[in-house]
Amino acid sequence: MAVSPTTLSTTAPRTSRRHINRDLLLAIVVLTPSIVAVAIFIYTFIAWTFWISTVNWNTSVIDYTFVGLRNWERMLSSFRFQMNLRNLALYALGFMSQCIIIGFLLASLLDQHIKGEAVFRTIFIFPFAVSAVVTGVAWRWLMRPETGINLLFESVGLGFLKSKWFADPTWGILFITIASSWQFAGYVMALYLAGLRGIPLEVKEAAQMDGCNTWALYRHIIIPMLAPVTYTSIVLTGMGAIRVFDIVTVISGSGQAFSTDMLAYHMFEQMFTANRFSLSAVIGAFMIILSIFLVVPYLLSVRKEQER
């Protein structure tokens, strides 16, 4: 029996609509558990943290008496919290700059297709697989003033380079960023290497035919094209600087007069040692606000990139 064109034209949209409904239903079934879990265990507890920061729960006895911003005023005016901000600024500066610069240089080296590239790539990224606690223990020994690197300097006649390292009351937190960067720079290197391999070879060859030397090629072509990778690296290392806890705790803890104290360690002590739950919630909420300043611009830039 012959099928009329009119019948075919009405059957095709119905079949397509049925497939769309089935895919939509499958997507809802698969995603719903994750959405519910994220809503409960992340966003609900973020809201709970902000709420606890406004009540009077600063003993082991639960007290939900609303006190407004009194805990915020108390925390923001404390000497230790102000040292946290100063240490965070120094740590972020040292950690982010070392990771991005070293990661980019290592990726540029590997992009030259050197012999044994796979071996070097594994060596560079291996520290990322080591736990922060193990990294902290190893670097704590290396940077002890009476052992480790200082002994190496003395044995080769470079004793004038000996330092107090993390025990330095002013710049100790910057020395700790050496250990953190050693662990994370390999990951940044992998990001940059993927970006470099994504640049078409024709673009590089065209620039070289136009007279670009190596410096001009990197300055005007490669580095601008790697801007999304750099932005991603800034967000990742910035988030790592805000929430750093384990490696600093293992190497130095709070340090002399809180010289190496960080926000996460301060929050941990307020909650689990002093039972000041509302004050620790203030620190947690403050860290969330700092993270928003990094994540929101990144998400907006990704959305713009997708719309192009």
Coordinates of all heavy atoms in Angstrom, one line a residue, residues 165-220:
W165 N 64.5 29.7 56.2 CA 63.4 29.1 55.4 C 62.0 29.4 56.1 O 61.7 30.5 56.4 CB 63.6 27.6 55.2 CG 64.9 27.4 54.5 CD1 66.1 26.9 55.0 CD2 65.2 27.6 53.1 NE1 67.0 26.8 54.1 CE2 66.5 27.2 52.8 CE3 64.4 28.1 52.0 CZ2 67.1 27.3 51.6 CZ3 65.1 28.1 50.7 CH2 66.4 27.8 50.6
F166 N 61.2 28.4 56.4 CA 59.9 28.6 56.9 C 59.9 29.2 58.3 O 58.9 29.7 58.8 CB 59.1 27.3 56.9 CG 59.6 26.2 57.8 CD1 59.4 26.2 59.1 CD2 60.4 25.2 57.2 CE1 59.9 25.2 59.9 CE2 61.0 24.2 58.0 CZ 60.7 24.2 59.4
A167 N 61.1 29.1 59.0 CA 61.2 29.7 60.3 C 61.4 31.2 60.3 O 61.4 31.8 61.4 CB 62.3 29.0 61.1
D168 N 61.6 31.8 59.1 CA 61.8 33.2 59.0 C 60.5 33.9 59.5 O 59.4 33.6 58.9 CB 62.1 33.6 57.6 CG 62.5 35.0 57.5 OD1 61.7 35.9 57.8 OD2 63.7 35.3 57.1
P169 N 60.5 34.8 60.5 CA 59.2 35.4 61.0 C 58.5 36.3 60.0 O 57.4 36.6 60.1 CB 59.7 36.1 62.2 CG 61.1 36.4 62.0 CD 61.7 35.3 61.2
T170 N 59.3 36.8 58.9 CA 58.7 37.7 58.0 C 58.3 37.1 56.7 O 57.2 37.2 56.2 CB 59.7 38.9 57.7 OG1 60.0 39.5 58.9 CG2 59.0 39.9 56.8
W171 N 59.2 36.3 56.1 CA 59.0 35.7 54.8 C 58.9 34.2 54.8 O 59.0 33.6 53.7 CB 60.2 36.1 53.8 CG 60.4 37.6 53.8 CD1 61.5 38.2 54.2 CD2 59.6 38.6 53.3 NE1 61.4 39.6 54.1 CE2 60.2 39.8 53.4 CE3 58.3 38.6 52.6 CZ2 59.6 41.1 53.0 CZ3 57.7 39.8 52.3 CH2 58.4 41.0 52.4
G172 N 58.7 33.6 55.9 CA 58.5 32.2 56.0 C 57.4 31.6 55.1 O 57.6 30.5 54.5
I173 N 56.3 32.3 55.0 CA 55.2 31.8 54.2 C 55.5 31.7 52.8 O 55.1 30.9 52.0 CB 53.9 32.7 54.5 CG1 52.7 32.0 53.9 CG2 54.1 34.0 53.9 CD1 52.3 30.7 54.6
L174 N 56.4 32.6 52.3 CA 56.9 32.6 50.9 C 57.7 31.4 50.6 O 57.6 30.8 49.5 CB 57.6 33.9 50.6 CG 56.8 35.1 50.1 CD1 57.8 36.3 49.8 CD2 56.0 34.8 48.9
F175 N 58.6 31.0 51.6 CA 59.4 29.8 51.4 C 58.5 28.5 51.3 O 58.9 27.6 50.6 CB 60.4 29.7 52.5 CG 61.5 30.7 52.4 CD1 61.7 31.7 53.4 CD2 62.4 30.7 51.3 CE1 62.7 32.6 53.3 CE2 63.4 31.7 51.2 CZ 63.6 32.6 52.2
I176 N 57.4 28.5 52.0 CA 56.5 27.4 52.0 C 55.9 27.2 50.6 O 55.6 26.1 50.1 CB 55.4 27.5 53.1 CG1 56.1 27.4 54.4 CG2 54.4 26.4 52.9 CD1 55.1 27.6 55.6
T177 N 55.8 28.3 49.9 CA 55.2 28.2 48.5 C 56.1 27.5 47.6 O 55.6 27.0 46.5 CB 54.9 29.6 47.9 OG1 56.2 30.3 47.8 CG2 54.0 30.4 48.8
I178 N 57.4 27.3 47.9 CA 58.3 26.5 47.1 C 57.8 25.1 47.1 O 57.8 24.4 46.0 CB 59.8 26.7 47.6 CG1 60.3 28.1 47.5 CG2 60.7 25.7 46.8 CD1 61.6 28.3 48.1
A179 N 57.5 24.6 48.3 CA 57.0 23.2 48.4 C 55.7 23.0 47.7 O 55.5 22.1 46.9 CB 56.9 22.8 49.8
S180 N 54.8 24.0 47.8 CA 53.5 23.9 47.2 C 53.6 23.9 45.7 O 52.9 23.2 45.0 CB 52.6 25.0 47.7 OG 52.5 25.0 49.1
S181 N 54.5 24.8 45.2 CA 54.6 24.9 43.7 C 55.3 23.7 43.2 O 55.0 23.3 42.0 CB 55.5 26.2 43.4 OG 54.9 27.3 44.0
W182 N 56.2 23.1 43.9 CA 56.9 21.9 43.5 C 55.8 20.8 43.2 O 55.9 20.0 42.2 CB 57.9 21.4 44.5 CG 58.5 20.1 44.2 CD1 59.6 19.8 43.4 CD2 58.1 18.8 44.7 NE1 59.8 18.5 43.4 CE2 58.9 17.8 44.2 CE3 57.0 18.4 45.6 CZ2 58.8 16.5 44.4 CZ3 56.9 17.0 45.8 CH2 57.8 16.1 45.3
Q183 N 54.8 20.8 44.0 CA 53.8 19.8 43.9 C 52.8 20.1 42.8 O 52.3 19.2 42.1 CB 53.0 19.6 45.2 CG 52.0 18.5 45.2 CD 51.2 18.4 46.4 OE1 50.8 19.4 47.0 NE2 50.9 17.2 46.9
F184 N 52.4 21.4 42.5 CA 51.3 21.7 41.6 C 51.8 22.2 40.2 O 51.0 22.2 39.3 CB 50.5 22.8 42.3 CG 49.1 22.8 41.7 CD1 48.1 21.9 42.0 CD2 48.7 23.9 40.9 CE1 46.9 21.9 41.4 CE2 47.4 24.0 40.3 CZ 46.5 23.0 40.6
A185 N 53.1 22.6 40.1 CA 53.5 23.1 38.8 C 53.4 22.1 37.7 O 53.2 22.5 36.5 CB 55.0 23.6 38.9
G186 N 53.6 20.8 38.0 CA 53.5 19.8 36.9 C 52.1 19.8 36.4 O 51.9 19.5 35.1
Y187 N 51.1 20.0 37.2 CA 49.7 20.0 36.7 C 49.5 21.2 35.8 O 48.8 21.0 34.7 CB 48.7 20.0 37.9 CG 47.3 20.0 37.5 CD1 46.7 18.8 37.1 CD2 46.5 21.1 37.5 CE1 45.3 18.7 36.8 CE2 45.2 21.1 37.1 CZ 44.6 19.9 36.8 OH 43.3 19.8 36.4
V188 N 50.0 22.3 36.2 CA 49.9 23.5 35.3 C 50.6 23.3 34.0 O 50.2 23.7 32.9 CB 50.4 24.8 36.0 CG1 50.3 26.0 35.1 CG2 49.6 25.0 37.3
M189 N 51.8 22.6 34.1 CA 52.5 22.3 32.9 C 51.7 21.4 31.9 O 51.7 21.7 30.7 CB 53.8 21.5 33.3 CG 54.6 21.0 32.1 SD 54.2 19.4 31.4 CE 54.4 18.3 32.8
A190 N 50.9 20.5 32.5 CA 50.1 19.6 31.6 C 49.0 20.5 30.9 O 48.7 20.3 29.7 CB 49.4 18.5 32.4
L191 N 48.4 21.5 31.6 CA 47.4 22.3 31.0 C 48.0 23.1 29.9 O 47.5 23.2 28.8 CB 46.9 23.3 32.1 CG 46.0 22.7 33.2 CD1 45.6 23.8 34.2 CD2 44.8 22.0 32.6
Y192 N 49.2 23.7 30.1 CA 49.9 24.5 29.1 C 50.3 23.7 27.9 O 50.2 24.1 26.7 CB 51.1 25.3 29.7 CG 50.7 26.6 30.2 CD1 50.9 26.9 31.6 CD2 50.2 27.6 29.5 CE1 50.6 28.1 32.1 CE2 49.8 28.9 30.0 CZ 50.1 29.1 31.3 OH 49.7 30.3 31.9
L193 N 50.8 22.4 28.2 CA 51.2 21.6 27.1 C 50.0 21.2 26.2 O 50.2 21.2 24.9 CB 51.8 20.3 27.6 CG 52.5 19.4 26.6 CD1 53.6 20.1 25.8 CD2 53.0 18.1 27.3
A194 N 48.9 21.0 26.8 CA 47.7 20.7 26.0 C 47.3 21.9 25.1 O 46.9 21.8 24.0 CB 46.5 20.3 26.9
G195 N 47.4 23.1 25.7 CA 47.1 24.3 25.0 C 48.1 24.5 23.8 O 47.7 24.9 22.7
L196 N 49.4 24.3 24.1 CA 50.4 24.5 23.0 C 50.2 23.5 21.9 O 50.3 23.9 20.7 CB 51.8 24.3 23.6 CG 52.3 25.4 24.5 CD1 53.6 24.9 25.3 CD2 52.7 26.6 23.7
R197 N 49.8 22.3 22.2 CA 49.6 21.3 21.2 C 48.3 21.6 20.4 O 48.1 21.0 19.3 CB 49.5 19.9 21.8 CG 50.8 19.4 22.4 CD 51.9 19.1 21.4 NE 53.2 19.0 21.9 CZ 53.8 18.0 22.5 NH1 53.1 16.9 22.7 NH2 55.0 18.0 22.8
G198 N 47.4 22.4 21.0 CA 46.2 22.8 20.3 C 46.3 23.9 19.3 O 45.4 24.2 18.5
I199 N 47.5 24.6 19.3 CA 47.7 25.7 18.4 C 48.1 25.1 17.0 O 49.1 24.4 16.9 CB 48.8 26.6 18.9 CG1 48.4 27.3 20.2 CG2 49.2 27.7 17.9 CD1 49.5 28.1 20.9
P200 N 47.4 25.5 16.0 CA 47.7 24.9 14.7 C 49.1 25.2 14.2 O 49.6 26.3 14.4 CB 46.7 25.6 13.7 CG 45.6 26.0 14.6 CD 46.2 26.4 15.9
L201 N 49.8 24.2 13.6 CA 51.2 24.4 13.2 C 51.2 25.5 12.1 O 52.2 26.2 12.0 CB 51.7 23.1 12.6 CG 53.2 23.0 12.3 CD1 54.1 23.4 13.5 CD2 53.5 21.7 11.7
E202 N 50.1 25.6 11.3 CA 50.1 26.6 10.2 C 50.3 28.0 10.7 O 50.9 28.9 10.1 CB 48.8 26.4 9.4 CG 48.7 25.1 8.6 CD 48.2 24.0 9.5 OE1 47.9 24.3 10.7 OE2 48.2 22.9 9.0
V203 N 49.7 28.2 11.9 CA 49.8 29.6 12.5 C 51.2 29.9 12.8 O 51.7 31.0 12.5 CB 48.9 29.7 13.8 CG1 49.0 31.0 14.4 CG2 47.4 29.4 13.4
K204 N 51.9 29.0 13.4 CA 53.3 29.2 13.8 C 54.2 29.4 12.5 O 55.0 30.3 12.5 CB 53.9 28.0 14.6 CG 53.1 27.8 15.9 CD 53.7 26.6 16.6 CE 52.9 26.3 17.9 NZ 53.4 25.1 18.6
E205 N 53.9 28.6 11.5 CA 54.7 28.7 10.3 C 54.5 30.0 9.6 O 55.4 30.6 9.1 CB 54.4 27.5 9.4 CG 54.9 26.1 9.9 CD 54.5 25.0 9.0 OE1 53.6 25.2 8.2 OE2 55.0 23.9 9.2
A206 N 53.2 30.4 9.6 CA 52.9 31.7 8.9 C 53.6 32.9 9.6 O 54.1 33.8 9.0 CB 51.4 31.9 8.9
A207 N 53.6 32.8 11.0 CA 54.3 33.9 11.7 C 55.8 33.9 11.4 O 56.4 35.0 11.3 CB 54.0 33.7 13.2
Q208 N 56.4 32.7 11.4 CA 57.8 32.6 11.1 C 58.1 33.1 9.7 O 59.2 33.7 9.4 CB 58.3 31.2 11.3 CG 58.3 30.8 12.8 CD 58.6 29.3 13.0 OE1 58.4 28.5 12.1 NE2 59.1 29.0 14.2
M209 N 57.2 32.8 8.7 CA 57.4 33.3 7.3 C 57.3 34.8 7.2 O 57.9 35.4 6.4 CB 56.4 32.6 6.4 CG 56.6 31.1 6.2 SD 55.4 30.4 5.2 CE 55.7 31.2 3.6
D210 N 56.5 35.4 8.2 CA 56.4 36.8 8.2 C 57.6 37.5 8.9 O 57.6 38.7 9.1 CB 55.1 37.2 8.9 CG 53.9 36.9 8.0 OD1 54.2 36.8 6.7 OD2 52.8 36.9 8.5
G211 N 58.5 36.7 9.4 CA 59.7 37.3 10.0 C 59.7 37.3 11.5 O 60.6 37.9 12.1
C212 N 58.8 36.6 12.2 CA 58.8 36.5 13.6 C 59.9 35.6 14.1 O 60.1 34.5 13.7 CB 57.4 35.9 14.1 SG 56.1 37.1 14.2
N213 N 60.7 36.2 15.1 CA 61.7 35.3 15.7 C 61.0 34.6 16.9 O 59.8 34.8 17.1 CB 62.9 36.1 16.2 CG 62.5 37.3 17.1 OD1 61.4 37.2 17.8 ND2 63.3 38.3 17.2
T214 N 61.8 33.8 17.7 CA 61.1 33.0 18.7 C 60.5 33.9 19.8 O 59.3 33.6 20.2 CB 62.2 32.1 19.4 OG1 62.9 31.3 18.4 CG2 61.6 31.2 20.4
W215 N 61.1 35.0 20.2 CA 60.5 35.9 21.2 C 59.2 36.5 20.7 O 58.2 36.5 21.4 CB 61.6 36.9 21.6 CG 61.0 38.1 22.4 CD1 60.8 39.3 22.0 CD2 60.5 38.0 23.7 NE1 60.2 40.1 23.0 CE2 60.0 39.3 24.1 CE3 60.4 36.9 24.7 CZ2 59.5 39.6 25.3 CZ3 59.8 37.2 25.9 CH2 59.4 38.5 26.2
A216 N 59.3 37.0 19.5 CA 58.1 37.6 18.9 C 56.9 36.6 18.7 O 55.8 36.9 18.9 CB 58.4 38.3 17.6
L217 N 57.3 35.3 18.3 CA 56.3 34.3 18.2 C 55.6 34.0 19.5 O 54.3 33.9 19.5 CB 57.0 33.0 17.7 CG 56.1 31.8 17.5 CD1 55.1 32.1 16.4 CD2 56.9 30.5 17.2
Y218 N 56.4 33.9 20.6 CA 55.7 33.7 21.9 C 54.9 34.9 22.4 O 53.8 34.8 22.9 CB 56.8 33.3 22.9 CG 57.1 31.8 22.9 CD1 58.0 31.3 22.0 CD2 56.4 30.9 23.8 CE1 58.3 29.9 22.0 CE2 56.6 29.6 23.7 CZ 57.6 29.1 22.9 OH 57.8 27.7 22.8
R219 N 55.5 36.1 22.1 CA 54.9 37.3 22.7 C 53.6 37.6 21.9 O 52.6 38.0 22.6 CB 55.9 38.5 22.6 CG 55.3 39.8 23.1 CD 56.3 40.9 23.0 NE 55.7 42.2 23.4 CZ 56.3 43.3 23.2 NH1 57.5 43.4 22.6 NH2 55.7 44.4 23.6
H220 N 53.6 37.5 20.6 CA 52.4 38.0 19.9 C 51.4 36.9 19.4 O 50.3 37.2 19.0 CB 52.9 38.7 18.6 CG 53.7 40.0 18.9 ND1 53.2 41.1 19.6 CD2 55.0 40.2 18.7 CE1 54.1 42.0 19.7 NE2 55.3 41.5 19.2

